């Protein structure tokens, strides 16, 4: 696997290749990222993994400085999962001194859920993904359903700006007790790690209520919230909500595709998780992620 750190060198590598698949990451690679890379390997003739801890998607009091960074370990993981190139530009390479452009996806998609709690976050995400798409020019890009709102924002961006990238979404990879694997799980102490399983338990509580026939979104939200509030190590619940997919609106009643989404703070970590559920008109329900 080749490590490339500049756009000039990347363009030189890219010039001889026809079709390329991209897996954008912030590093600290784990088995969730590996699943994306392996999928990309199966479906693309050339696989690029980008590794960039993007400063403009972090708020002033967030974990940008502490975010785990280990280029050598990441290179080993990316290479063994099938990457041809690890593209790891420095911050100065991506944002030169004269950088003055932002890409904003407007409206509901970026103002609710994480958008309400992390002002500017999705503009940071949309800007860096647009830049990565312009540099890498991928045919296909693979993302995780773990970041469901980010995925919807990227789909909107790709459509609105006619970027022409095939966006592929893969299900969330979980630990055996249900905890969604995340680079930020490294911040957790042993007790906090145990408490973190509450996020998935809360989502499962909401899902089970829907399976049993509950169609009032407020009742499902209350079921999720009570599971989260029962855990003393959860210091704050940013949200526990049911939203329509793909609009992320509050549904009047539960029907069609909906997202159950939670965000909570435990120790130094802010963790997010979600489950997508499809509710058919005949009452049947199906978990879609
Ligand atoms: P990150 O490095 O956290 O920015 O994530 C890079 C990509 O990996 C995003 O598309 C995430 O949605 C995806 N990802 C992160 N965690 C998981 C997971 N547990 N399962 C599947 N995909 C994941």
């Amino acid at each position: 696997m080749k490590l490339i750190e500049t756009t000039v060198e990347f363009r030189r590598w890219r010039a001889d290749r026809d079709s390329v698949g991209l897996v954008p990451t912030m590093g600290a690679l784990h088995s969730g990222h590996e699943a994306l890379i392996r999928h990309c390997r199966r479906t693309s003739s050339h696989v690029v993994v980008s590794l960039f801890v993007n400063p403009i998607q972090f708020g002033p009091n967030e974990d940008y400085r502490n975010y785990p960074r280990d280029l050598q370990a990441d290179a080993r993981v990316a290479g063994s999962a099938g990457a041809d190139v690890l593209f790891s530009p420095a911050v100065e390479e991506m944002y030169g001194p004269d950088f003055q452009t932002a890409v904003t996806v407007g409206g509901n998609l970026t103002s609710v859920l994480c958008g309400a709690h992390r002002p500017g976050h999705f503009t940071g995400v949309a800007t860096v993904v647009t830049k990565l798409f312009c540099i890498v020019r991928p045919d296909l890009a693979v993302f995780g359903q773990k970041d469901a709102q980010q995925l919807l924002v990227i789909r909107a961006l790709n459509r609105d700006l006619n970027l022409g990238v095939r966006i592929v979404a893969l299900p969330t990879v979980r630990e055996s007790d249900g905890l969604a694997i995340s680079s930020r799980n490294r911040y957790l102490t042993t007790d906090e790690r145990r408490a973190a399983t509450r996020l998935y338990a809360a989502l499962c509580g909401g899902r089970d209520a829907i399976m049993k026939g509950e169609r009032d979104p407020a009742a499902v939200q209350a079921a999720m919230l009570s599971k989260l509030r029962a855990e003393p190590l959860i210091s704050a619940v940013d949200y526990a909500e049911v939203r329509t997919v793909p609009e992320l609106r509050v549904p009047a009643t539960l029907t069609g595709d909906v997202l159950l989404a939670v965000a909570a703070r435990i120790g130094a970590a802010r963790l997010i998780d979600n489950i997508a559920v499809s509710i058919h008109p005949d009452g049947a329900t199906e978990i879609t992620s």
Side-chain angles (χ1 to χ4, degrees):
M1 191 197 60
K2 197 173 164 61
L3 174 66
I4 298 183
E5 295 179 309
T6 66
T7 49
V8 168
E9 193 189 347
F10 185 84
R11 289 224 163 91
R12 217 175 290 134
W13 176 86
R14 180 72 179 87
D16 308 335
R17 270 100 191 160
D18 50 357
S19 107
V20 165
L22 171 67
V23 183
T25 81
M26 296 205 301
L29 299 182
H30 52 62
S31 49
H33 298 117
E34 278 181 76
L36 309 189
I37 301 167
R38 287 188 204 287
H39 179 89
C40 197
R41 175 75 281 162
R42 287 194 295 274
T43 50
S44 305
S45 32
H46 303 283
V47 175
V48 175
V49 174
S50 63
L51 190 173
F52 183 62
V53 185
N54 177 31
I56 66 167
Q57 72 184 68
F58 288 79
N61 298 316
E62 294 184 349
D63 56 343
Y64 174 67
R65 283 168 67 88
N66 296 331
Y67 200 83
R69 292 165 171 89
D70 187 342
L71 180 60
Q72 287 190 351
D74 286 344
R76 278 194 297 276
V77 174
S80 67
D84 297 305
V85 166
L86 184 62
F87 176 57
S88 174
V91 171
E92 302 71 41
E93 179 73 14
M94 291 292 271
Y95 303 117
D98 298 325
F99 187 83
Q100 50 196 313
T101 301
V103 179
T104 296
V105 175
N108 196 60
L109 271 190
T110 53
S111 60
V112 303
L113 302 178
C114 284
H117 292 269
R118 304 185 70 189
H121 169 68
F122 286 115
T123 291
V125 169
T127 303
V128 80
V129 169
T130 305
K131 279 179 71 74
L132 289 168
F133 282 7
C134 290
I135 296 164
V136 176
R137 288 185 292 107
D139 300 273
L140 165 159
V142 189
F143 295 88
Q145 178 69 29
K146 159 81 167 50
D147 297 274
Q149 186 174 14
Q150 168 177 281
L151 180 62
L152 292 169
V153 170
I154 290 166
R155 285 194 191 283
L157 161 80
N158 187 54
R159 178 200 62 213
D160 292 351
L161 298 184
N162 306 91
L163 300 180
V165 177
R166 188 150 71 82
I167 306 293
V168 176
L170 293 191
T172 302
V173 177
R174 299 180 180 281
E175 305 278 9
S176 54
D177 59 7
L179 177 67
I181 297 175
S182 162
S183 307
R184 290 187 166 100
N185 293 350
R186 298 183 188 195
Y187 300 153
L188 302 170
T189 64
T190 309
D191 284 346
E192 291 164 354
R193 163 69 185 76
R194 181 195 40 73
T197 58
R198 284 288 174 153
L199 273 79
Y200 186 58
L203 293 168
C204 291
R207 174 201 65 195
D208 293 347
I210 297 174
M211 294 293 213
K212 285 189 198 130
E214 183 61 71
R215 292 294 178 267
D216 175 7
V220 174
Q221 287 179 189
M224 296 196 293
L225 208 50
S226 72
K227 280 225 185 324
L228 294 171
R229 294 252 160 88
E231 171 51 64
L233 287 180
I234 295 183
S235 56
V237 177
D238 277 2
Y239 57 79
E241 293 194 34
V242 186
R243 293 271 171 173
T244 62
V245 175
E247 308 83 3
L248 294 185
R249 299 210 177 276
V250 176
T253 181
L254 293 177
T255 180
D257 294 334
V258 296
L259 188 73
L260 278 56
V262 295
R265 293 167 196 268
I266 305 180
R270 178 184 184 276
L271 302 179
I272 60 171
D273 199 356
N274 69 86
I275 297 181
V277 179
S278 199
I279 305 159
H280 301 270
D282 63 3
T285 54
E286 180 195 343
I287 311 307
T288 51
S289 73

